[in-house]
Amino acid sequence: MNILVLGSGGREHTIAWKLAQSDNCRNLYVAPGNSGTASIATNVPVNVTDFKAIKEIVLNNNIAMVVVGPEDPLVQGIHDFFLEDEALKNVAVIGPQKAAAELEGSKEFAKEFLYKHNIPTAAYKSFNAETVEDGYAFLETLKPPYVLKADGLAAGKGVVILEDINEAKTELKAMLVDAKFGNASTKVVIEEFLDGIELSCFVLTDGKNYKILPTAKDYKRIGEGDTGLNTGGMGAVSPVPFADGTFMAKIKDRIVEPTINGLQKDNLPYKGFVFIGLIKVGNDPYVIEYNVRLGDPETEVVLPRLKNDLVEVFQAIANQTLDTITIEIDERAATTIMLVSGGYPEAYEKGKEISGLDAIEGSIVFHAGAQEKDGKIVTSGGRVMAVTSYGETYKEAIKKSYQNIEKLHFDKMNYRNDIGFDLS
Ligand code: AMP
Ligand code: GLY
């Protein structure tokens, strides 16, 4: 069949790379894509939220499956758009419908869902501009640090954690009254701080059945030792060494099953990936957040460990026959290191030529913010490339990625040298 992947990051290059390996994939398209996807698929210059333009591409190219990478089109209802259109309703869309995508689109909605289904998560209250004074009073009842979350999508920047109560109150006012994050902070969730180590669990569901995929841990901060500003993610490791059998059983019983059952009970139509951000407090898992898509750069370590034909898996999701699929996972560890533009996550320059790609041995380079220009590969974003390797252990895999990174170069290239530092 012909397949269209929506998105342009390392995640989408990895999804396309995995789909392209399937005998069931005939013509592969990526919109808008990057230099990595251009080497294995046809890039189409269309924005992921331009549903009308996406419809044209789907109809003109006889596309039977659309795989949605990022959250924006899902939260804006791309799956519903397809179902409601006579010409598109039989095209398989991998990604939840709008009502279910609210699990990522609204922090308040996600917290209500978690509470309703008795899934462990931090205690919280939600406030708006009218109740800002109640918000101050609620902050007084909490111990520092204070966790403030803009309700809506804020490009990964909507969570603020502060030590000082007065700063927390000022931030709450900035979000609610001064619309610091625009409409995304019309409501703010304030929650209890959970102290522990984070990991992510990925689940595939067809709305009835589910399969648990490998766990991953990402490294969000720009600086070594998890310091400095938050980024989209600077590296990832899979599996997560501390997620042993006992802990995974708790995740399954307390979190995954109630989540999938909750989606059905609440009539939230879901065919796609559920990304559950978890924190291990003592020996127990708590949900930090839901995302309604795969993570980036977690995808760059999770999909390389999946042995199944991804087109078959996606077809089973579309047909609600995921129970007939046996998920097979590569026993090896996979790690990825993200190369970023100097200055990122603040201002950075683009258009820098990337050299050394031909010299890579034993790693896979997934392109993110990179484009082809006049026969050269140049930087076009903050996160530029993810260098993924396998190993018998995560340490061996990390070593291989760093060895290959030595061969890569672009002006002001930056990366973290300590991915996995907190795992041993
Ligand atoms: P989110 O966008 O919800 O993933 O939040 C961003 C980051 O803030 C998470 O990855 C955590 O590191 C941190 N965080 C969010 N909520 C909490 C919490 N209740 N306790 C501690 N850290 C949190
Ligand atoms: N790496 C975190 C995310 O994709 O949201």
Side-chain angles (χ1 to χ4, degrees):
M1 65 165 74
N2 296 342
I3 305 175
L4 170 66
V5 177
L6 296 181
S8 61
R11 169 180 50 209
E12 288 76 20
H13 184 191
T14 313
I15 294 171
W17 166 85
K18 186 72 185 152
L19 290 170
Q21 291 166 26
S22 169
D23 291 337
N24 298 307
C25 178
R26 200 165 55 204
N27 297 326
L28 183 61
Y29 300 86
V30 184
N34 59 31
S35 47
T37 61
S39 68
I40 51 172
T42 305
N43 282 352
V44 270
V46 159
N47 192 295
V48 295
T49 52
D50 188 347
F51 297 174
K52 281 201 184 120
I54 292 167
K55 175 177 174 175
E56 296 261 301
I57 294 167
V58 168
L59 296 179
N60 292 343
N61 297 288
N62 199 18
I63 284 164
M65 178 182 283
V66 176
V67 183
V68 187
E71 61 276 17
D72 277 333
L74 295 167
V75 172
Q76 290 182 29
I78 191 163
H79 197 151
D80 309 70
F81 174 85
F82 271 67
L83 290 173
E84 287 157 13
D85 188 301
E86 259 324 290
L88 297 176
K89 68 177 190 210
N90 293 322
V91 175
V93 177
I94 304 303
Q97 280 175 245
K98 190 175 181 8
E102 279 297 278
L103 284 177
E104 178 162 1
S106 164
K107 301 271 187 204
E108 184 186 47
F109 181 85
K111 292 301 278 192
E112 283 170 358
F113 178 89
L114 287 160
Y115 261 68
K116 185 170 171 192
H117 300 293
N118 284 317
I119 302 168
T121 189
Y124 80 105
K125 276 196 173 149
S126 167
F127 302 93
N128 60 33
E130 263 108 69
T131 57
V132 64
E133 296 288 335
D134 301 335
Y136 298 153
F138 182 61
L139 283 169
E140 296 280 359
T141 70
L142 299 174
K143 287 197 231 62
Y146 304 94
V147 183
L148 278 62
K149 300 185 171 183
D151 178 59
L153 292 184
K157 296 195 169 71
V159 176
V160 183
I161 301 181
L162 294 162
E163 283 294 332
D164 182 84
I165 181 105
N166 292 320
E167 278 180 28
K169 288 179 180 172
T170 306
E171 181 66 26
L172 183 65
K173 180 173 173 290
M175 284 182 169
L176 289 176
V177 183
D178 309 328
K180 178 172 175 183
F181 297 105
N183 284 339
S185 62
T186 310
K187 288 190 235 169
V188 171
V189 167
I190 301 180
E191 64 179 45
E192 167 199 18
F193 180 81
L194 297 176
D195 196 6
I197 185 159
E198 286 178 60
L199 72 154
S200 301
C201 171
F202 295 90
V203 181
L204 264 171
T205 184
D206 60 11
K208 281 202 307 214
N209 311 286
Y210 74 88
K211 298 285 174 183
I212 298 183
L213 297 176
T215 54
K217 186 174 193 322
D218 83 333
Y219 291 80
K220 287 201 175 80
R221 305 293 197 93
I222 186 71
E224 281 162 18
D226 285 344
T227 55
L229 293 173
N230 257 324
T231 70
M234 297 293 291
V237 174
S238 176
V240 179
F242 61 81
D244 58 15
T246 315
F247 191 63
M248 286 310 293
K250 289 181 186 172
I251 292 176
K252 178 170 177 279
D253 296 345
R254 299 178 192 177
I255 292 166
V256 176
E257 294 209 332
T259 296
I260 302 300
N261 291 338
L263 290 171
Q264 287 177 58
K265 280 187 202 150
D266 293 357
N267 266 320
L268 299 171
Y270 210 120
K271 290 184 174 181
F273 292 96
V274 194
F275 165 163
I276 314 179
L278 298 169
I279 189 160
K280 181 178 183 234
V281 182
N283 283 315
D284 296 314
Y286 289 79
V287 175
I288 289 272
E289 62 166 348
Y290 286 112
N291 294 312
V292 297
R293 49 168 174 89
L294 279 171
D296 194 352
E298 293 91 332
T299 307
E300 289 91 307
V301 294
V302 171
L303 289 189
R305 296 189 60 225
L306 180 70
K307 289 186 176 168
N308 298 67
D309 178 319
L310 191 57
V311 179
E312 275 174 20
V313 174
F314 284 164
Q315 278 173 319
I317 288 181
N319 301 331
Q320 292 201 305
T321 54
L322 197 54
D323 54 327
T324 64
I325 298 270
T326 305
I327 295 290
E328 287 176 64
I329 301 300
D330 194 322
E331 288 298 317
R332 291 174 298 170
T335 64
T336 200
I337 315 290
M338 193 60 86
L339 306 180
V340 305
S341 300
Y344 172 82
E346 296 182 285
Y348 56 84
E349 294 165 30
K350 298 181 190 174
K352 309 288 185 190
E353 185 178 348
I354 301 157
S355 62
L357 287 163
D358 292 339
I360 299 296
E361 275 171 67
S363 293
I364 314 163
V365 180
F366 293 114
H367 296 207
Q371 293 288 346
E372 203 184 317
K373 203 177 162 204
D374 305 329
K376 292 175 182 160
I377 310 286
V378 300
T379 66
S380 63
R383 294 195 295 168
V384 174
M385 300 204 159
V387 182
T388 294
S389 309
Y390 296 100
E392 289 309 313
T393 63
Y394 76 88
K395 285 187 179 163
E396 201 183 294
I398 284 175
K399 202 168 145 198
K400 211 181 289 169
S401 284
Y402 283 125
Q403 280 167 351
N404 272 312
I405 287 173
E406 293 285 311
K407 303 172 195 160
L408 294 172
H409 177 78
F410 56 87
D411 186 33
K412 301 197 178 74
M413 177 173 113
N414 184 27
Y415 59 92
R416 267 180 68 167
N417 235 313
D418 69 339
I419 298 304
F421 80 99
D422 55 348
L423 296 178
S424 49

